[in-house]
């Protein structure tokens, strides 16, 4: 990115990331990368990939995620060929941080079954 555009992206992305529960220590590079990924996100593409993925998948979410509504996660479960879902009532957008132990235990248990 042009340096001016980069500063603008970071200025907009940082407060959004904080509201979503990301650490204040997220680097500018990480914010720019996350913005690029989100800008290119196409739910229909993901749905199509999941429909053709002949592998088991684990889809985990929390009901209080400020970024992804529970109905989106449930729709992903509906698209997957062999889904396993893991729903948390709380945990926000970063389950790997807020529910690390529960998520890790669930991943290990799920992996043992596939």
């Amino acid at each position: 990115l042009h340096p001016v555009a980069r500063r603008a992206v970071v200025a907009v992305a940082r407060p959004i990331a904080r509201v979503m529960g990301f650490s204040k220590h997220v680097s500018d590079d990480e914010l720019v990368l996350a913005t690029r990924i989100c800008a290119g996100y196409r739910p229909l593409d993901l749905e199509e990939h999941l429909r053709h993925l002949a592998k088991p998948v684990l889809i985990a979410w929390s009901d209080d995620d400020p970024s992804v509504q529970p109905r989106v996660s449930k729709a992903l479960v509906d698209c997957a060929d062999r889904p396993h879902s893991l729903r948390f009532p709380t945990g926000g957008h970063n389950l790997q941080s807020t529910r690390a132990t529960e998520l890790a235990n669930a991943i290990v248990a799920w992996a043992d079954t596939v």
Side-chain angles (χ1 to χ4, degrees):
L1 285 177
H2 185 280
V4 173
R6 180 182 168 79
R7 283 193 298 275
V9 166
V10 169
V12 171
R14 187 157 304 281
I16 292 170
R18 291 294 297 141
V19 167
M20 290 174 46
F22 286 86
S23 168
K24 64 182 176 183
H25 302 293
V26 170
S27 73
D28 290 354
D29 288 341
E30 291 169 318
L31 286 172
V32 170
L33 177 60
T35 301
R36 283 183 165 165
I37 290 169
C38 289
Y41 174 71
R42 294 175 42 145
L44 293 177
D45 287 347
L46 182 56
E47 177 182 337
E48 188 67 20
H49 290 302
L50 279 173
R51 287 196 189 285
H52 292 95
L53 182 67
K55 304 283 183 201
V57 295
L58 179 123
I59 299 169
W61 74 91
S62 71
D63 290 336
D64 69 344
D65 185 329
S67 179
V68 180
Q69 297 172 354
R71 68 180 173 81
V72 172
S73 298
K74 292 173 190 168
L76 292 175
V77 170
D78 292 341
C79 293
D81 180 40
R82 295 186 297 174
H84 179 75
S85 60
L86 181 59
R87 180 188 149 268
F88 293 98
T90 61
H93 188 66
N94 296 301
L95 292 175
Q96 71 279 9
S97 296
T98 60
R99 296 287 192 151
T101 301
E102 299 104 312
L103 187 58
N105 290 339
I107 290 170
V108 169
W110 169 73
D112 285 344
T113 68
V114 293

